[in-house]
Amino acid sequence: MKDVIKFFDDLPLIVKVIFALPVLDILWAVYRLCRSISKENALGIVLAVLMLFFCPAIFWLVDIITLLVMGKVIWLD
């Protein structure tokens, strides 16, 4: 899990933004799930699984905005 997290964290900003486009945003949902699993955050795991199946079409715009402003996607840790 830590390898996946490190891989996504070390990507250049332009690649992160490309991964946040509507169809590819599922990659960020997997990233959030891996992050929650590595930190053993039960609420984060449940929300990440729900987001994986139901919300990628909604959060792509939020991901792009937070990537451009903060350089990372937001998630509860």
Side-chain angles (χ1 to χ4, degrees):
M1 294 293 161
K2 295 196 185 274
D3 294 335
V4 174
I5 296 168
K6 183 171 175 13
F7 172 76
F8 275 93
D9 287 341
D10 292 341
L11 288 173
L13 182 61
I14 188 70
V15 176
K16 290 179 181 181
V17 172
I18 291 171
F19 281 173
L21 294 175
V23 175
L24 297 175
D25 194 49
I26 198 130
L27 296 171
W28 287 115
V30 171
Y31 167 79
R32 288 179 176 106
L33 180 63
C34 291
R35 231 170 115 173
S36 293
I37 289 172
S38 71
K39 295 189 180 207
E40 298 177 3
N41 182 354
L43 176 63
I45 293 170
V46 171
L47 290 175
V49 169
L50 290 174
M51 181 181 281
L52 187 65
F53 292 109
F54 300 112
C55 299
I58 298 168
F59 280 95
W60 69 271
L61 187 59
V62 173
D63 288 343
I64 289 175
I65 291 169
T66 58
L67 281 168
L68 294 175
V69 173
M70 299 185 321
K72 62 181 181 176
V73 293
I74 57 171
W75 192 238
L76 48 118
D77 283 334

